[in-house]
Amino acid sequence: MKQLLAALLLSPGVLLAQKGDFTLKGKIGNLNAPAKVHLVYRTSEGEKRDSAVLTNGAFELKGAIEEPGQAMLLLKHPNPPADPRMRDMVIFYVEKGTITLNSPDSLKKATFSGSALNTDNQQLQDALKAVTSSYQDLNAEYMAADEAKRNSAEFQQYLDGKLALIRGQQGDIYKAFIAKHPKSVVSLDVIQQYAYEASDKIGLLDSMFNSLDASLKKTKSAQDLAGLISSWKATAVGAEAPLFTQNDTLGKPVNLKDFRGKYVLVDFWASWCRPCRMENPYVVAAFNKHKDKAFTILSVSLDQPTGHDAWINAIHKDGLTWTHVSDLKFWDNDVAKLYGVKSVPQNFLLDPQGKIVAKNLRGEELDKRLDELLK
């Protein structure tokens, strides 16, 4: 009996069941081939993809997951729209069990049943309707503005103010939702999403995370998020910047501690990052103006393992005549993980004692702040 049990536990079918099988059964009107749905979701092994042709509107997809999580479903219609950007898609949750999708004609009108997480998610989206509308209105206002207006400091300040107000309202809705759904994976995803939109709101993010049920905090996704929030606490304005050592372009180790005694900008970028390259002229101008006034820059590149030459070429092309380091691990860069960097460009301005005095100084903001500090 024990040998039989051991054999069953080692069989692939039982291992999949332990992870959590899911089945997605769908009905979208009466569509037939070539109408086809494409499913994308993630597991510990990486991104998984599957697809199914519709027969009289019906389809079925199956998979296995370690933890419940978000997935994307894309529908290729028999007569696709002329604009390829007008995709018919929906973000939903895959979890153990059978999930049912119904729609009269498209994924944009899809409703889900048989899934507690998708019910939770629908409640959240309903609560966010006003916020979503505000984001859309602000984006429309930006798109309607001419280039001169978009680039004006006044308009940028106006947009920043409106965004701060909307994100504040969004945060209030998220906090209320998490309080009512402390065991839901949707609550965890809410914090992860808001974390990237408002990483400066450490207190609020910490409060949200602490509201989660203990069982949810034990999941790998929650533990990863806890580590990210911890790194943001360690790199908040007023904190002493975490020390690190990484190799420069010639493979020589460079230690952040060796920069003590000067204001130093720890600048995260990459040769492949277009916004970074657009930001570089401002950084170069600030460096050339203040380099003789106890100021320097230490750039950390998130270039890829095969990107050494591209990294060096970008340094020379953009005229970045200061110290550069990288381990060429792309998003797994050790310093980026230490500082909780999930997007580039990002920067941290340190005082001569190594304390963080400012973050993410963009455009002429860096020069203005240095003027104040080095006058």
Side-chain angles (χ1 to χ4, degrees), residues 12-31:
V14 174
L15 285 175
L16 286 178
Q18 287 176 327
K19 288 182 177 180
D21 289 340
F22 71 86
T23 299
L24 174 62
K25 291 185 176 182
K27 184 75 165 66
I28 307 175
N30 297 307
L31 295 178

Side-chain angles (χ1 to χ4, degrees), residues 53-72:
V53 174
L54 275 63
T55 302
N56 195 29
F59 69 90
E60 182 172 305
L61 292 166
K62 295 184 177 182
I65 51 173
E66 293 86 357
E67 295 180 356
Q70 288 186 333
M72 180 182 76

Side-chain angles (χ1 to χ4, degrees), residues 55-308:
T55 302
N56 195 29
F59 69 90
E60 182 172 305
L61 292 166
K62 295 184 177 182
I65 51 173
E66 293 86 357
E67 295 180 356
Q70 288 186 333
M72 180 182 76
L73 192 66
L74 174 68
L75 172 61
K76 293 292 184 68
H77 285 265
N79 299 306
D83 188 344
R85 294 173 297 177
M86 301 297 291
R87 299 188 300 173
D88 187 13
M89 58 169 286
V90 64
I91 302 297
F92 71 107
Y93 280 84
V94 286
E95 59 179 319
K96 185 176 180 179
T98 299
I99 306 164
T100 303
L101 178 155
N102 276 291
S103 174
D105 52 23
S106 67
L107 291 179
K108 295 183 185 302
K109 300 178 183 178
T111 58
F112 293 88
S113 59
S115 166
L117 288 180
N118 286 298
T119 299
D120 290 348
N121 188 48
Q122 187 57 57
Q123 292 177 3
L124 175 62
Q125 299 312 314
D126 289 343
L128 285 169
K129 282 182 178 178
V131 167
T132 301
S133 179
S134 295
Y135 274 125
Q136 292 172 343
D137 291 345
L138 188 62
N139 183 64
E141 189 173 353
Y142 173 80
M143 296 303 295
D146 57 34
E147 186 174 358
K149 184 176 180 179
R150 289 182 189 179
N151 293 331
S152 69
E154 294 79 11
F155 190 56
Q156 288 295 325
Q157 290 175 356
Y158 165 76
L159 291 176
D160 289 344
K162 293 283 286 186
L163 275 174
L165 180 62
I166 297 171
R167 283 176 179 158
Q169 295 169 342
Q170 185 179 10
D172 291 339
I173 293 171
Y174 282 166
K175 190 172 183 179
F177 177 85
I178 294 167
K180 292 181 180 179
H181 304 82
K183 295 183 179 181
S184 177
V185 172
V186 179
S187 292
L188 178 59
D189 287 345
V190 157
I191 303 172
Q192 289 175 322
Q193 178 182 341
Y194 198 59
Y196 294 118
E197 296 172 353
S199 60
D200 57 325
K201 299 183 181 297
I202 302 300
L204 179 58
L205 292 171
D206 210 25
S207 174
M208 288 179 174
F209 187 83
N210 289 331
S211 297
L212 297 177
D213 188 80
S215 61
L216 191 56
K217 290 180 183 178
K218 293 178 181 178
T219 63
K220 183 181 184 303
S221 297
Q223 291 172 1
D224 290 344
L225 178 58
L228 186 59
I229 292 175
S230 178
S231 68
W232 284 337
K233 286 181 181 178
T235 56
V237 172
E240 185 173 324
L243 295 176
F244 62 84
T245 300
Q246 200 157 90
N247 289 349
D248 65 12
T249 56
L250 299 177
K252 181 180 177 182
V254 175
N255 193 320
L256 177 61
K257 192 172 184 179
D258 294 337
F259 289 76
R260 292 282 173 84
K262 290 186 176 182
Y263 283 93
V264 56
L265 185 76
V266 180
D267 186 39
F268 292 87
W269 76 299
S271 67
W272 47 261
C273 168
R274 187 169 181 270
C276 303
R277 305 295 294 274
M278 293 174 66
E279 185 70 23
N280 278 342
Y282 294 101
V283 183
V284 169
F287 176 74
N288 290 335
K289 178 178 178 180
H290 300 283
K291 63 183 180 180
D292 296 325
K293 305 174 186 176
F295 170 70
T296 191
I297 300 174
L298 175 57
S299 282
V300 182
S301 169
L302 274 64
D303 272 279
Q304 303 183 50
T306 58
H308 181 272

